[in-house]
Amino acid sequence: MSFGGQVNDMVNRIKQNAALKNARKGKFKGGNDYAHIKYTKTEYDFPKISEKELEKIKIKIRKTTTFERNKQLLFGVIIAFITVLALLILNS
């Protein structure tokens, strides 16, 4: 009825965890292969856009997002109104 087996198991786990920690040390000290990758230019050539065209695109995106945001807001308000109306009718 001793606890020597349990203590031995705990000691072994501590040793194993220390070994794992030491094994992973190199990864965080720059020992991985990812630190030495040299990036080259991509094969895709990005198109050149003039400043005027870029501004037109930005304005178009802003208008689209504002329209979408307003549409979602209106939809939410309508759903909330219908829900409140339904609750008032059910409580009557």
Side-chain angles (χ1 to χ4, degrees), residues 21 23 27-28 30 33 41 52 62 69-70 74 77 86:
K21 184 175 73 172
K27 178 180 177 184
F28 296 108
D33 293 334
K41 184 179 178 183
K52 287 183 180 180
R62 285 184 188 131
R69 191 179 316 124
N70 289 341
L74 181 65
V77 168

Side-chain angles (χ1 to χ4, degrees), residues 50-89:
S50 69
E51 291 294 323
K52 287 183 180 180
E53 291 177 9
L54 187 61
E55 283 300 318
K56 287 180 185 177
I57 292 172
K58 285 181 183 180
I59 290 171
K60 182 178 177 183
I61 291 172
R62 285 184 188 131
K63 283 183 182 179
T64 306
T65 53
T66 330
F67 175 74
E68 288 295 322
R69 191 179 316 124
N70 289 341
K71 187 169 73 171
Q72 289 176 357
L73 182 65
L74 181 65
F75 182 73
V77 168
I78 290 173
I79 293 296
F81 180 72
I82 290 172
T83 305
V84 168
L85 193 62
L87 287 174
L88 288 175
I89 290 173

Side-chain angles (χ1 to χ4, degrees), residues 6-53:
Q6 295 170 346
V7 172
N8 191 21
D9 183 50
M10 285 187 268
V11 170
N12 284 336
R13 286 176 191 243
I14 290 171
K15 286 180 186 176
Q16 290 171 353
N17 287 340
L20 280 174
K21 184 175 73 172
N22 291 334
R24 292 184 188 148
K25 234 180 226 183
K27 178 180 177 184
F28 296 108
K29 297 269 184 177
N32 55 6
D33 293 334
Y34 300 115
H36 304 293
I37 294 176
K38 293 185 175 150
Y39 295 100
T40 59
K41 184 179 178 183
T42 59
E43 294 178 9
Y44 182 75
D45 293 326
F46 293 99
K48 305 292 181 194
I49 299 177
S50 69
E51 291 294 323
K52 287 183 180 180
E53 291 177 9

